[in-house]
Amino acid sequence: MKLTPSILLFTLALLIAGCAHYQVNAPLSTVNAGAGYRFQNSAQTNSDDLMLVLAFSGGGMRASTLSYGVLKELKQTEVGAPGTLHPLLDDVSLISSVSGGSFTAAYYALWGDRTFVDFEPCFLKKRVQTGLLLQVLAPWNQIRLASPKFDRSDLAAEYYDHLLFKCATFGDLETNTRRPFLSLNTTDIASGARFEFTQDEFDLLRSDLSQFPISRAVAASSAFPVYLTPVVLKNYSAGRPAPEPNWTKSILEDPAASSRMKYVAMQAQSYTDEHRRFVHLLDGGLSDNLGLRGALDRAIAREQSTDVPSVPAKLPRRVAIIVVDAHTESDYGWDSKEGYRGLGAIIGSVGQVSLSHYSFETVELFREVMARLSRERAGSGDSNAPEISTYVIELQFHQLPDKSDRQFFNSVPTSLQLPPKTIDRLRGLAARELADNEEFKRLLRDLGREPGKSDSTDRRPSLTSVQTRNSN
């Protein structure tokens, strides 16, 4: 048979497609709780007085920009006694994120203050969605995408690596001891459970997170269904007889453990199932759009005094969490007309209502758990363990008090590409809303007090900012 150019090209395409394969996560030879990228191994807090946590929600480039605006405002907000003034951003010990918020969180955790120089031109104001589409449509990538072991999210991870992360892995984050611990959240599509990119979670798969690319974790966190495909992890624990982690055993055998923590333990235990040879991960917003559930699980575990990984041994007397909620609200016209609004309106409305209620319950449960922890410590009789002052700072942009700002924000689409003017306005909006937030002002007032002095007498979580917005 004569080898024509068309046959040669076809043969070459088959070879390229056959070689295309997603990047497989590395196995872990030995589980060592003292090594790897874990919260307890990182600088848990840069302040003996304050633990500051940031939770960045999903919402495409809208979420990335709002998160960036909050980081920038924290960088410009100085706290501390005279002579020891420093940016409040330096006191952040943990950033937990999902989807669009994960781009900003991962970039800052990796590059630090460089973020305020090049994140805007490199990502926020770049035509990322167009660039990703061009990657998908490129003939050579079309050949690679024909492989059953290489898909759109794998291609997206390569693109994000080129734009932002430059081949960095989680091993690179282990050396950044002065930067916040990064918790990128995804959804295990088989169980619907939240999955974190931490070594504690990778221990369950007997896999080494230090070799895993940050870009691939961000791709998993932002893999919105249909548009992008699941990111696949190999589960080396499947069917392997191995000692059960102490924390799962202690929780499941403890009759006093909450149903919430037993559910978390059972999810962790499920990775030893011989049928769970692979884990498929999608957008973290499917299981928690605020990126707050991880912090909530740790608070519940701390309350129950279990030995769950990543639970700090001792909480400082102030715990503050800033929730950047980039969720928008759309009017599907149900109240204006009698007739049926169509399948699209039903799907959109159901998703919007479910997301809003779930996010509200998550924040309220976190408040309740922290209040119980504070009361228990105050009643312990230990003079060295004062009551915990908790600050829950919610930035809910879909409830902005100004009508024009509210209309503008709710009109911003969930995409990975926005006009530069929209980026500028969103960034400014985030900085202004944080600076004007009453709970944030209370935190700054209390941080300005001399050590040993009491915090504000009203210890109830402030809802002032939310109530003000709801009244407009």
Side-chain angles (χ1 to χ4, degrees), residues 2 19 22 26 56 59-60 111 118 120 150-151 191 213 220 231 262 265 289 305-306 338 369 377 395 409 432 448 469:
K2 185 178 180 180
C19 293
Y22 63 86
F56 294 163
W111 304 118
D118 57 16
E120 277 196 58
F150 187 86
D151 224 320
S191 64
V231 169
K262 287 187 176 181
N289 194 52
S305 299
T306 62
E338 181 182 5
V369 170
R377 193 159 86 167
L395 303 179
F409 177 77
R432 187 177 75 239
R469 293 175 184 134

Side-chain angles (χ1 to χ4, degrees), residues 330-353:
S330 300
D331 183 5
Y332 291 96
W334 290 105
D335 298 330
S336 60
K337 293 183 179 179
E338 181 182 5
Y340 173 60
R341 304 300 299 157
L343 182 61
I346 289 179
I347 294 174
S349 297
V350 170
Q352 180 171 282
V353 170

Side-chain angles (χ1 to χ4, degrees), residues 155-327:
L155 192 60
E158 292 181 354
Y159 184 57
Y160 302 153
D161 197 63
H162 170 73
L163 282 181
L164 301 172
F165 303 113
K166 313 302 179 186
C167 299
T169 66
F170 281 87
D172 295 307
L173 293 180
E174 292 180 46
T175 62
N176 297 331
T177 56
R178 291 298 298 171
R179 292 180 197 151
F181 184 80
L182 174 67
S183 174
L184 294 176
N185 296 275
T186 65
T187 302
D188 181 341
I189 191 173
S191 64
R194 183 181 53 83
F195 185 96
E196 285 183 297
F197 280 90
T198 65
Q199 187 56 56
D200 292 308
E201 200 90 356
F202 265 52
D203 282 352
L204 302 174
L205 309 182
R206 289 183 172 271
S207 184
D208 184 2
L209 179 66
S210 67
Q211 301 181 48
F212 198 83
I214 295 173
S215 59
R216 190 161 173 78
V218 172
S221 182
S222 57
F224 192 77
V226 181
Y227 295 102
L228 292 168
T229 52
V231 169
V232 180
L233 300 181
K234 187 173 181 178
N235 180 15
Y236 298 96
S237 291
R240 288 183 59 182
E244 183 179 357
N246 289 334
W247 70 271
T248 60
K249 186 176 181 180
S250 64
I251 288 175
L252 293 175
E253 292 180 353
D254 182 4
S258 70
S259 298
R260 169 72 188 166
M261 291 314 300
K262 287 187 176 181
Y263 173 78
V264 172
M266 290 178 67
Q267 289 296 330
Q269 198 179 57
S270 73
Y271 291 112
T272 60
D273 187 327
E274 63 179 345
H275 299 294
R276 300 207 69 188
R277 297 185 300 115
F278 298 95
V279 179
H280 295 79
L281 303 174
L282 278 175
D283 195 303
L286 299 175
S287 55
D288 168 27
N289 194 52
L290 293 184
L292 186 56
R293 300 301 292 197
L296 175 59
D297 287 345
R298 292 183 183 93
I300 293 175
R302 182 68 179 81
E303 180 186 30
Q304 298 178 349
S305 299
T306 62
D307 55 353
V308 177
S310 295
V311 176
K314 182 180 179 181
L315 291 174
R317 70 187 184 99
R318 294 186 178 107
V319 176
I321 185 161
I322 300 176
V323 181
V324 183
D325 185 359
H327 168 61

Side-chain angles (χ1 to χ4, degrees), residues 39 44-45 47-51 53 298-299 302-303 311-319 369-370 373-374 377 384-388 390:
F39 184 72
Q44 294 185 19
T45 175
S47 169
D48 295 331
D49 187 53
L50 170 69
M51 175 182 287
V53 177
R298 292 183 183 93
R302 182 68 179 81
E303 180 186 30
V311 176
K314 182 180 179 181
L315 291 174
R317 70 187 184 99
R318 294 186 178 107
V319 176
V369 170
M370 290 306 300
L373 276 174
S374 181
R377 193 159 86 167
N384 295 320
E387 185 177 351
I388 303 170
T390 305

Side-chain angles (χ1 to χ4, degrees), residues 10-87:
F10 179 72
T11 303
L12 180 61
L14 288 177
L15 289 172
I16 294 174
C19 293
H21 198 295
Y22 63 86
Q23 191 165 353
V24 180
N25 49 301
L28 184 68
S29 56
T30 305
V31 174
N32 180 4
Y37 192 63
R38 311 171 194 267
F39 184 72
Q40 63 268 31
N41 295 341
S42 70
Q44 294 185 19
T45 175
N46 296 327
S47 169
D48 295 331
D49 187 53
L50 170 69
M51 175 182 287
L52 179 55
V53 177
L54 307 181
F56 294 163
S57 83
M61 193 65 79
R62 183 181 64 247
S64 301
T65 305
L66 292 170
S67 301
Y68 174 73
V70 166
L71 287 180
K72 198 164 187 177
E73 181 65 19
L74 292 174
K75 176 68 176 176
Q76 296 172 353
T77 302
E78 291 193 324
V79 296
T84 62
L85 287 175
H86 61 276

